[in-house]
Amino acid sequence: MKKILMILSLVAISEMALAQHSTGDMNLNVGLGLLSNLKTGDTAVPPVGASFEYGIKDEISVGGYLGFTSSEFFNNKYSYTIIGLRGSYHYDLLGNPKIDTYGGVMLGYYILSVDNSAVTTANSVYYGGFIGGRYAFSDNMGAFAEIGYGVSILQLGANLKF
């Protein structure tokens, strides 16, 4: 019985050692947004976004974000762009080495351009939070999903790990 418990303990420790996110990891997420929160009228360009992050510690990564969408309303075209810096905390929520779960915050700049209107641009500081997860199909490719306040409420897409 002691041997079985010892073997199970070693297996559990080795599973925990397989970190989903490590110091020096570089990840690129590219995705399509659903449920846009930056929209006036009919969607002209669906929300698209890309984020890059670099692991500065096993649980912490920093990086950037770029998101874009546009819509049309009463002969005006609205273009929304978000450029920001992100910080994420990665945690082992599910105990599966192929799954990386994380949450974080973003601080950036929000740019609104309006064509055919008296107001041509409106810019402001932008902040938001997000939670997400990645599933690795291989060492370098996977899929991701994020929920948060960015160019859309839900973003789904591909992940590349360098």
Side-chain angles (χ1 to χ4, degrees):
M1 183 63 142
K2 286 182 182 181
K3 287 182 182 181
I4 293 173
L5 288 175
M6 188 172 195
I7 290 170
L8 289 176
S9 298
L10 289 173
V11 169
I13 289 169
S14 67
E15 282 292 319
M16 291 180 350
L18 293 172
Q20 292 82 3
H21 184 81
S22 301
T23 302
D25 280 357
M26 292 185 283
N27 282 283
L28 174 66
N29 292 334
V30 178
L32 185 63
L34 305 171
L35 306 171
S36 178
N37 53 354
L38 301 176
K39 181 175 129 168
T40 304
D42 297 323
T43 299
V45 175
V48 292
S51 63
F52 176 81
E53 56 185 42
Y54 177 77
I56 58 173
K57 293 192 178 237
D58 282 349
E59 300 87 17
I60 299 173
S61 64
V62 295
Y65 175 83
L66 176 63
F68 177 81
T69 189
S70 71
S71 59
E72 294 178 4
F73 187 65
F74 287 122
N75 296 324
N76 291 323
K77 184 175 180 182
Y78 297 81
S79 298
Y80 306 89
T81 304
I82 297 174
I83 301 169
L85 299 174
R86 293 169 37 126
S88 301
Y89 179 78
H90 301 259
Y91 48 94
D92 185 8
L93 182 65
L94 301 174
N96 184 336
K98 291 187 174 203
I99 299 175
D100 174 22
T101 52
Y102 55 90
V105 294
M106 182 174 73
L107 176 64
Y109 198 64
Y110 167 78
I111 303 163
L112 166 63
S113 294
V114 183
D115 295 341
N116 301 329
S117 175
V119 178
T120 56
T121 60
N123 306 324
S124 66
V125 172
Y126 179 86
Y127 57 91
F130 55 90
I131 58 171
R134 290 190 273 260
Y135 181 82
F137 299 123
S138 69
D139 289 342
N140 299 331
M141 290 195 74
F144 84 99
E146 282 186 5
I147 298 172
Y149 193 70
V151 74
S152 64
I153 296 170
L154 173 63
Q155 192 168 10
L156 304 171
N159 168 260
L160 298 174
K161 186 175 182 179
F162 305 97

